Amino acid sequence: MTSQDNASAPKPAAKDPWDLPDVSGLVVGVLGGTGDQGRGLAYRLARAGQKVIIGSRAAERAGTAAAELGLGIEGAENAECARRSDVVIVAVPWDGHAKTLEALRSELAGKLVVDCVNPLGFDKKGAYALRPAEGSAAEQAAALLPESRVTAAFHHLSAVLLQDESIEEIDTDVMVLGEDRADTDLVQALAGRIPGMRGVFAGRLRNAHQVESLVANLISVNRRYKAHAGLRVTDV
């Protein structure tokens, strides 16, 4: 083929950003699955047909939470949860974030890790964002888990709505951040398994701080308006 032929050859079509993979067969582990946010995510994903394992420092506590939720959810100690899962959502409290991930480095090696932790402080004026030394909780996770594929998502979801069995759809978008498109596509697809929810790519991990910190603003919105506010991205 000549250079002229190459110049006239049609370019391959750009990938459709909404052409997402089938993730229905993946096992999802939720570290911190006995907390409100973790329980809510576990419940919604299992309700959508995903296989879910709840992780906790105590296997008995995880098993109790799993039994309460039903839907085929299993409970396990954190290390077993990480080993048995294809995708691991980190939903632990911020003050235990680093310690939990350091302890699970080997079990999380090669795994797709989805960090949804929001570093926040609280005082008499309300919630405010904290800035970790690494830049964000997600960047801290990436630094602590060099052999894992770290993404960030599920920050802005109301635990109250997630756990409310009477609610059929969660009307919100999920901002998804990460370094590899294949990984962020998987997380977007996972978010899309929950009725009413949509995953939207929102940049690389270096942009995670402002996504995490926005939760402080949503807490203020919720307090003022007695609401469970989420986010919608327009024109996409």
Side-chain angles (χ1 to χ4, degrees), residues 133-211:
E134 298 84 356
S136 64
E139 289 170 294
Q140 183 182 85
L144 294 172
L145 303 173
E147 297 179 61
S148 302
R149 295 139 50 210
V150 177
T151 60
F154 300 115
H155 301 90
H156 307 134
L157 306 181
S158 164
V160 173
L161 297 184
L162 288 173
Q163 295 183 81
D164 189 335
E165 297 181 11
S166 69
I167 294 176
E168 297 293 329
E169 298 187 359
I170 305 293
D171 183 25
T172 193
D173 285 335
V174 171
M175 309 287 272
V176 180
L177 303 98
E179 301 302 317
D180 186 277
R181 178 162 185 172
D183 292 336
T184 56
D185 280 358
L186 281 173
V187 180
Q188 286 181 254
L190 194 63
R193 294 273 288 160
I194 300 173
M197 199 174 290
R198 182 180 66 158
V200 178
F201 175 72
R204 294 180 179 269
L205 287 186
R206 69 180 183 180
N207 294 319
H209 170 67
Q210 55 264 39
V211 173

Side-chain angles (χ1 to χ4, degrees), residues 36-94:
D36 288 340
Q37 194 77 358
R39 283 175 66 102
L41 283 168
Y43 171 71
R44 287 292 160 179
L45 289 167
R47 182 166 163 171
Q50 211 74 37
K51 174 60 184 174
V52 177
I53 303 172
I54 281 178
S56 175
R57 286 176 296 177
E60 183 179 353
R61 187 179 178 196
T64 298
E68 290 171 353
L69 291 171
L71 299 171
I73 297 172
E74 294 184 44
E77 189 270 332
N78 278 333
E80 181 183 351
C81 172
R83 281 193 296 268
R84 293 178 55 197
S85 301
D86 302 304
V87 179
V88 180
I89 297 174
V90 181
V92 299
W94 167 240

Side-chain angles (χ1 to χ4, degrees), residues 114-152:
V114 187
D115 200 296
C116 70
V117 175
N118 302 302
L120 297 176
F122 295 86
D123 60 19
K124 63 182 180 180
K125 294 182 179 180
Y128 60 94
L130 302 175
R131 183 109 191 195
E134 298 84 356
S136 64
E139 289 170 294
Q140 183 182 85
L144 294 172
L145 303 173
E147 297 179 61
S148 302
R149 295 139 50 210
V150 177
T151 60

